[in-house]
Amino acid sequence: MNITITKNYSELSVKAAELFYKKIKAKPSIHLGLATGKTPLGMYEILRKKMKTDGLPTDKLKVFNLDEYVGLSKNSSKSFYTYMKKQLYEPLGLKERQYYIPNGEAKDLEKECLRYEQMIDQFGIDLQLLGVGRNGHIGFNEPGTPFDSLTHVVKLKESTRKVNASFFGDESLVPTRAITMGIQSILKAKEIVVIASGEEKARALYEFVHGKMTEEWPITALKNHSNVTVICDQKSARFLKRKEGVSHD
């Protein structure tokens, strides 16, 4: 595990964007796993601008999204499909054949989960981006999710819906369920990058770095992965102890 602690969110976004830019430049046919939410927004803005300015080719990229709300039209302004389309898919000129996201409107949700998992297995993910919830969730894998879980339907905890309410204007409008890559699905990626910002993420990062593996903190499952990079700001790193592999920028 490599940990980089930045001064603030802006520097975190730059560091994360630089990492992804270098990986894409080195392998234009790279398969990315990407996350939504507030934390990646700064990184996505920097990444798309740099890629467009430098003319980095994108026609061989493939992108897999971590999750999608159940029952929300993909064309809804609140869907993760729309989020990703706005942040990266359209600005980078990606074709529909290049990006994959669970279908939250599928009539048979179990079959949709199986289909998505099979696509992950078929193509593979080279580099997976993750945020982390204040309760340690990765993707929408809430506390108590088995570490061997594959893509599945999850009932969102009230705390998670409350955090996501900022995108909807009211918590009551936030869907109660989502399709998410499972923890085992995430661990299939060759490399994982976790980004975290703000004091509310500090306990989750502490449990990941210094705590024991437990399903009560889903992020601790990443201890089982051989190639994890953490990029976090000082506020989210406030409980981390200095140790080998931790760098301060």
Side-chain angles (χ1 to χ4, degrees):
M1 182 194 314
N2 294 305
I3 304 172
T4 296
I5 300 173
T6 65
K7 292 179 181 178
N8 51 43
Y9 175 75
S10 295
E11 288 191 12
L12 178 159
S13 299
V14 170
K15 281 286 182 184
E18 287 176 347
L19 187 157
F20 272 74
Y21 179 89
K22 289 176 182 177
K23 296 286 184 178
I24 296 169
K25 186 175 182 179
K27 184 181 180 182
S29 62
I30 194 170
H31 295 176
L32 302 174
L34 296 180
T36 51
K38 292 181 180 178
T39 309
L41 287 173
M43 167 198 158
Y44 287 155
E45 179 180 6
I46 296 166
L47 180 62
R48 66 176 180 257
K49 286 181 178 179
K50 185 166 179 58
M51 288 181 66
K52 290 182 72 175
T53 299
D54 294 357
L56 215 59
T58 61
D59 57 309
K60 294 180 180 179
L61 273 177
K62 285 192 185 300
V63 179
F64 292 83
N65 215 66
L66 265 175
D67 37 37
E68 180 59 284
Y69 290 115
V70 167
L72 203 62
S73 166
K74 74 174 188 177
N75 294 316
S76 165
S77 62
K78 312 302 182 186
S79 73
F80 290 149
Y81 174 88
T82 297
Y83 172 109
M84 292 304 304
K85 200 169 183 180
K86 178 182 178 182
Q87 296 302 322
L88 282 185
Y89 298 165
E90 284 189 344
L92 296 184
L94 301 187
K95 308 297 183 184
E96 284 195 16
R97 60 179 171 78
Q98 292 179 261
Y99 52 83
Y100 307 90
I101 189 166
N103 178 11
E105 295 182 283
K107 292 182 179 180
D108 189 329
L109 293 176
E110 296 304 318
K111 187 178 291 185
E112 173 61 14
C113 291
L114 179 61
R115 181 195 72 85
Y116 201 67
E117 191 69 33
Q118 289 174 338
M119 295 190 73
I120 293 171
D121 287 339
Q122 178 184 349
F123 294 106
I125 295 176
D126 297 306
L127 180 62
Q128 176 69 57
L129 177 70
L130 296 175
V132 57
R134 60 186 67 196
N135 64 2
H137 73 243
I138 49 176
F140 271 136
N141 295 289
E142 300 281 14
T145 302
F147 284 170
D148 62 356
S149 60
L150 299 176
T151 301
H152 62 285
V153 177
V154 61
K155 182 178 180 180
L156 301 178
K157 288 194 176 293
E158 184 179 344
S159 58
T160 297
R161 294 180 68 237
K162 188 172 293 185
V163 170
N164 288 2
S166 59
F167 289 102
F168 289 81
D170 190 286
E171 185 182 341
S172 66
L173 300 177
V174 181
T176 58
R177 296 188 298 163
I179 295 177
T180 184
M181 283 188 199
I183 292 176
Q184 186 59 42
S185 314
I186 291 169
L187 291 174
K188 291 177 183 179
K190 294 177 183 176
E191 182 176 357
I192 295 174
V193 175
V194 179
I195 55 176
S197 174
E199 291 183 3
E200 66 274 13
K201 307 296 178 69
R203 173 71 188 279
L205 274 190
Y206 172 85
E207 294 296 338
F208 172 43
V209 177
H210 302 297
K212 64 181 181 179
M213 284 184 61
T214 170
E215 291 176 356
E216 290 309 304
W217 291 94
I219 190 174
T220 62
L222 301 183
K223 290 176 177 286
N224 268 340
H225 200 282
S226 61
N227 193 355
V228 178
T229 296
V230 178
I231 304 175
C232 55
D233 61 13
Q234 288 182 348
K235 289 183 178 180
S236 61
R238 59 190 299 232
F239 298 142
L240 298 187
K241 304 168 186 175
R242 289 185 177 272
K243 58 184 288 188
E244 186 178 351
V246 179
S247 63
H248 293 251
D249 287 347

